[in-house]
Amino acid sequence: RVHAGGPTATPQPNTPVISIVGQNGQQAFTPNPANFGGQMVVFRNTHNVTHRVVLNDGSIDTGDIAPGATSRAVQMPTEGTNYHCGLHPGMIGAVSSFSGTPPVCQGIYCDPY
């Protein structure tokens, strides 16, 4: 399991960013799905509460990301996978290595209702 540690001030140039946002009153990720499979990415928290991004299989955990902070860069799997916020399990996202349909979400983090 990769623990990405605490946040860092700025990502490396050209590192793809997945934003954590408050959208239409909901907590969400954008882009979603994120077509960054196999790439290093960072998660930027543009929301007003702390979040923690975890791959559903537990292989990556960013640690807490405070409002306005950015995670350290993490290597996303090359195959399609799903992730969620460890503090808000209803927040789910998908990473894909292609530009087509995102992977089917499976497991307890997929249906928040």
Side-chain angles (χ1 to χ4, degrees):
R1 173 173 139 143
V2 175
H3 180 75
T8 184
T10 54
Q12 294 296 319
N14 302 319
T15 301
V17 175
I18 299 172
S19 295
I20 302 165
V21 299
Q23 186 174 5
N24 299 324
Q26 300 294 314
Q27 298 167 354
F29 297 101
T30 188
N32 192 12
N35 297 316
F36 304 130
Q39 297 181 47
M40 297 294 288
V41 302
V42 295
F43 291 88
R44 180 174 298 141
N45 186 357
T46 64
H47 199 215
N48 59 2
V49 298
T50 299
H51 293 281
R52 180 181 196 129
V53 181
V54 180
L55 261 64
N56 285 9
D57 67 4
S59 63
I60 293 176
D61 180 338
T62 64
D64 290 351
I65 307 170
T70 300
S71 74
R72 294 188 185 277
V74 295
Q75 177 78 39
M76 299 307 290
T78 56
E79 296 298 319
T81 190
N82 301 114
Y83 57 91
H84 63 279
C85 176
L87 304 175
H88 309 99
M91 288 179 62
I92 59 169
V95 173
S96 175
S97 58
F98 55 90
S99 60
T101 305
V104 174
C105 188
Q106 298 176 354
I108 63 172
Y109 302 108
C110 298
D111 187 6
Y113 305 102

